[in-house]
Amino acid sequence: MGEIYSPGKLMLTSEYFAVDGALVLAVSTKLGQEFFFEEKADGKSLIFWEAYHQNKLWLKAVIDYKSWQMVETNIQSSGDFILKTLKNVQSLSEIKFKNTDSYFLKTNLQFPADYGLGSSSTLMNNLAEWSQINPFLLNTLSLGGSGYDIAVAHAKSAVLFQNKPEIHFEKVNFNPKFKNELIFIHLNQKQDSREGINHYKTKKKSESMIDDFSNLTRKILICNELENFSELMVLHEQRISDFVEIPTVKSLYFNDCPVFVKSLGAWGGDFVMSAKFDGYKDYFWGKGFTTVFDWEDLISC
């Protein structure tokens, strides 16, 4: 049985403005998604799909890929999404689902699904690597979004990403000397990024605003001091807040926090980034946020 792996991601800069071409800095995580595959020449043209969350079976589906009919599944909506995605794989690939072999496909998500680290993007990239197709095209057909998360999964490292005038990304070594002072806190809920993007799209924006976030990203990438980094985080957060007219996460949950708190990705859920201070674990735990990671425990850059 073959195996492919893609890491998860965290978006550090540009958030919603990424869909309009702002430069994004995103990092890869130590946890990701595994994909196992095997083919058998049995003439049945079936796909046997199993999806595990942290090694516990979550979804099963059997699909006839000649007729693209669901033979059986334990979760209809999720099974339907997998059927749609695999049908897109067939349309893009020159090598998969072209004969009468049966495919035994298994995924294992290494992190809780509500972490927002890229359960979908890691799946898209794994399927694309397996079928030798463009992961960005598969993602566009199946999900949509800016594509930064696909870039991280594909590069398996931190990246600078832009999707306009066309998709472009490059691996970067984002390894700030103050990284061990940074922490990541989970907000105990999963945010629907598509909902946030739809809200953002109702707002009128300008090229200068997009350029401002690209420039912030460049400054953050080369930042050498935690104090300067913190100032840039506060500035970035406030500019997003002013534009989308959503309160900052610090004003909502951590108003008395002595250091910066920055949203990562769509606002309202998933992870935020902050910095260590005396009693920081007791502070966040006291507010009900008990999932707190050090940089070295979460980030793989």
Side-chain angles (χ1 to χ4, degrees):
M1 181 170 278
E3 180 179 353
I4 294 171
Y5 171 80
S6 292
K9 50 69 187 176
L10 282 172
M11 184 184 212
L12 300 192
T13 69
S14 290
E15 279 102 278
Y16 305 108
F17 285 85
V19 300
D20 286 308
L23 188 66
V24 174
L25 173 61
V27 296
S28 56
T29 62
K30 290 186 173 179
L31 301 175
Q33 186 158 198
E34 301 161 293
F35 178 68
F36 306 93
F37 52 90
E38 186 176 5
E39 298 175 26
K40 292 184 179 179
D42 60 4
K44 294 182 178 179
S45 306
L46 294 175
I47 302 167
F48 296 87
W49 182 272
E50 290 187 348
Y52 290 76
H53 286 174
Q54 297 176 282
N55 297 310
K56 293 182 179 179
L57 183 62
W58 169 65
L59 172 68
K60 289 184 71 173
V62 180
I63 298 166
D64 182 333
Y65 69 84
K66 285 300 181 187
S67 62
W68 286 108
Q69 296 295 312
M70 183 71 68
V71 178
E72 61 179 85
T73 183
N74 62 326
I75 306 175
Q76 192 65 48
S77 59
S78 298
D80 288 344
F81 172 73
I82 293 301
L83 186 150
K84 170 194 167 185
T85 301
L86 295 177
K87 191 174 181 180
N88 290 336
V89 169
Q90 184 194 52
S91 70
L92 297 172
S93 177
E94 296 181 357
I95 59 173
K96 300 302 181 186
F97 310 129
K98 301 299 183 184
N99 47 39
T100 59
D101 292 357
S102 286
Y103 294 82
F104 296 79
L105 308 177
K106 173 184 170 183
T107 71
N108 181 47
L109 193 65
Q110 296 177 331
F111 51 84
D114 68 351
Y115 269 20
L117 297 181
S119 54
S120 298
S121 57
T122 52
L123 174 63
M124 293 297 130
N125 191 67
N126 284 340
L127 286 172
E129 285 194 22
W130 171 67
S131 57
Q132 299 176 28
I133 61 176
N134 185 319
F136 297 99
L137 188 51
L138 177 62
N139 186 64
T140 297
L141 288 175
S142 303
L143 288 168
S146 70
Y148 86 92
D149 46 359
I150 300 295
V152 174
H154 185 73
K156 296 174 173 50
S157 76
V159 299
L160 281 177
F161 171 88
Q162 259 179 318
N163 71 350
K164 291 185 179 179
E166 59 185 14
I167 288 176
H168 173 78
F169 67 95
E170 60 181 291
K171 293 183 179 183
V172 293
N173 179 28
F174 184 62
N175 194 32
K177 65 181 183 181
F178 52 83
K179 66 183 181 182
N180 291 331
E181 294 301 311
L182 300 176
I183 53 174
F184 301 88
I185 305 102
H186 190 247
L187 295 183
N188 304 330
Q189 56 188 321
K190 177 76 176 72
Q191 181 64 10
D192 186 342
S193 58
R194 283 182 286 277
E195 180 181 313
I197 289 171
N198 288 337
H199 171 69
Y200 161 82
K201 285 181 175 178
T202 66
K203 305 287 184 179
K204 187 176 181 179
K205 58 201 71 75
S206 65
E207 283 299 319
S208 63
M209 296 178 71
I210 295 164
D211 290 342
D212 283 345
F213 282 101
S214 293
N215 289 330
L216 272 174
T217 294
R218 294 185 185 98
K219 291 177 181 178
I220 288 165
L221 177 64
I222 63 173
C223 201
N224 290 318
E225 303 295 335
L226 179 59
E227 182 178 357
N228 185 27
F229 184 82
S230 300
E231 291 171 354
L232 291 170
M233 291 293 103
V234 172
L235 176 60
H236 190 294
E237 190 83 346
Q238 194 57 55
R239 285 186 178 176
I240 293 281
S241 176
D242 291 343
F243 181 77
V244 297
E245 298 180 286
I246 299 175
T248 66
V249 70
K250 183 171 181 178
S251 67
L252 285 175
Y253 303 123
F254 311 110
N255 201 36
D256 56 346
C257 184
V259 297
F260 80 89
V261 182
K262 186 189 180 299
S263 295
L264 304 177
W267 284 25
D270 302 334
F271 279 92
V272 297
M273 177 170 57
S274 189
K276 294 178 181 178
F277 55 90
D278 287 344
Y280 71 92
K281 285 187 177 179
D282 290 338
Y283 174 83
F284 289 112
W285 277 57
K287 291 184 176 292
F289 302 101
T290 57
T291 303
V292 181
F293 286 98
D294 284 0
W295 175 283
E296 64 180 8
D297 294 327
L298 187 61
I299 309 301
S300 64
C301 302

